[in-house]
Amino acid sequence: MKAAAIQTVSTPRVEENLATAAALLEQAARAGAELAVLPEYFCLFGHSDADKLLIAEPFGQGPLQEWLADQARRLGLWLAGGTIPLRAQDADKGADKNARARAFNTLLVFSPEGRCAARYDKMHLFRFNGRQRAYDESLTLQAGAAPALFDLPSRDGHTWRVGLSVCYDLRFAELYRHYAAQGADLLLAPSAFTWETGQAHWQTLLRARAIENLACVIAPGQGGTHENGRRTWGHSMLINAWGQVLAMQAEGAGVALADLDAAHTAACRASLPALTHRVL
C-alpha cells in the first residue's frame, strides 16, 4: 500500500492552511497514495494556544469535518485528518465548569467514501519547560479516555489494522503495545514536535515504536518556523516494521511517500516473533 505523510507549516489562517493541505493531498493522490495522513494542527497554528478553541466543532458536524470528508471523497483516499479541535463539553457535559474552556485534540479518519471510520482523542497532554518556551496543553485541551483502531482494506488485498495516536503519545510505549496486542500492524502518529524535543528524540521514538511492535509507522509533522515564533521539528517519515526509514520530508511543507509492504511486516514477525515472547 502506498501511503503519504503530509508535512505543513501551518498559520493562524484556517482557509490558507486548508488550501495548502488540499494541494499536498492532491500531490499524494496523483502519486498513487491510498492513505494520506495530515499532521497535528494542520488546520490552525494560532498566535496563542487558546485560538484553537475558537474553531472547535461538535463531533459529527462542522466545516473542518466536512472538509476532511470532501477531500477523502474527491481524491478517493483514506484520510487521517491530523488533528482538529472538537468541543469537549459535547462528550462530557457537566464534567466540571472548566470543560467549556477546553477541547479534545482529535484525530479523525475518513474512508474514500467520506465516512468517518475512526475517532481518537489525544490521551497524553504535553507539558514541557524548555529553555526558551514552556507548554502545557492541559490549559486548553481535555485528555481522551481510550485508544482507537480501525481496519483499512488496501488494494493489494491486505487489511491493515491501524492504531491511532498523536504526538506526545509517542513517549508512552504501553499505548502502542496495546495496539500490537489488538493486532495492529500500522501505527499513525501525526505530530507537531518542538524543535528542541524533536531534534533529540523524534526519530528515536518513532523507530522504537516500529521495532518493538514490528509494525509500520506513519508520522507526519509540522516542520518549520510558525508566525507565532514557535519552531517545529518536521522530519515527517514512514517507517517499516524493521525500523527502517522509508521516506522523509525534513523541513517545510511537502509529502513523504512510501510503499508499505504487508508481506515484509509478516516476514519480520515470523523471523523475530518477539510479540509472542512477551512475559509481562
Side-chain angles (χ1 to χ4, degrees):
M1 174 179 68
K2 183 165 284 189
I6 309 296
Q7 183 162 293
T8 62
V9 188
S10 297
T11 75
R13 294 171 294 280
V14 172
E15 291 304 318
E16 180 180 316
N17 297 329
L18 296 186
T20 297
L24 294 171
L25 288 170
E26 288 174 5
Q27 180 181 335
R30 286 197 303 269
E34 289 185 61
L35 168 64
V37 189
L38 290 163
E40 187 178 27
Y41 299 131
F42 77 93
C43 58
L44 181 73
F45 223 88
H47 291 292
S48 74
D49 287 344
D51 287 354
K52 64 177 74 72
L53 301 176
L54 301 176
I55 63 166
E57 303 176 353
F59 179 50
Q61 60 180 312
L64 295 175
Q65 292 167 85
E66 291 171 5
W67 183 88
L68 288 167
D70 288 345
Q71 295 299 313
R73 275 193 300 266
R74 180 175 70 90
L75 299 171
L77 285 168
W78 284 89
L79 176 57
T83 64
I84 64 171
L86 293 185
R87 293 177 189 166
Q89 69 268 28
D90 294 326
D92 195 10
K93 294 178 181 178
D96 62 64
K97 63 182 179 181
N98 294 321
R100 294 183 179 180
R102 292 184 291 167
F104 288 115
N105 191 16
T106 300
L107 168 56
L108 298 176
V109 179
F110 289 86
S111 73
E113 297 74 37
R115 171 182 59 85
C116 185
R119 170 183 176 173
Y120 171 73
D121 299 324
K122 185 178 182 180
M123 296 176 68
H124 301 96
L125 300 184
F126 182 54
R127 183 184 298 170
F128 177 64
N129 292 314
R131 288 172 292 183
Q132 296 180 339
R133 283 175 174 259
Y135 306 91
D136 187 352
E137 288 187 325
S138 67
L139 298 177
T140 53
L141 297 179
Q142 182 166 320
L149 301 99
F150 75 100
D151 292 324
L152 190 164
S154 61
R155 296 169 191 158
D156 61 10
H158 177 70
T159 296
W160 294 87
R161 184 83 164 137
V162 188
L164 304 182
S165 67
V166 175
C167 199
Y168 190 50
D169 286 331
L170 279 170
R171 297 184 182 273
F172 301 88
E174 62 271 18
L175 174 62
Y176 304 89
R177 189 61 96 194
H178 167 81
Y179 286 143
Q182 298 296 313
D185 52 2
L186 175 57
L187 306 168
L188 307 186
S191 301
F193 256 56
T194 68
W195 176 268
E196 187 172 359
T197 59
Q199 190 174 30
H201 302 145
W202 170 249
Q203 186 170 147
T204 299
L205 286 168
L206 288 171
R207 294 188 66 212
R209 298 296 85 86
I211 292 165
E212 68 197 6
N213 296 296
L214 293 160
C216 297
V217 173
I218 304 176
Q222 296 280 348
T225 301
H226 303 264
E227 291 185 21
N228 64 5
R230 180 174 168 182
R231 188 179 183 187
T232 46
W233 176 241
H235 293 77
S236 299
M237 60 184 70
L238 299 94
I239 303 169
N240 70 15
W242 202 244
Q244 296 168 315
V245 176
L246 302 176
M248 180 192 298
Q249 172 74 20
E251 293 188 81
V255 179
L257 280 160
D259 289 306
L260 304 182
D261 187 343
H264 176 264
T265 300
C268 290
R269 291 182 168 187
S271 63
L272 180 62
L275 294 174
T276 69
H277 295 160
R278 292 178 58 206
V279 176
L280 297 179

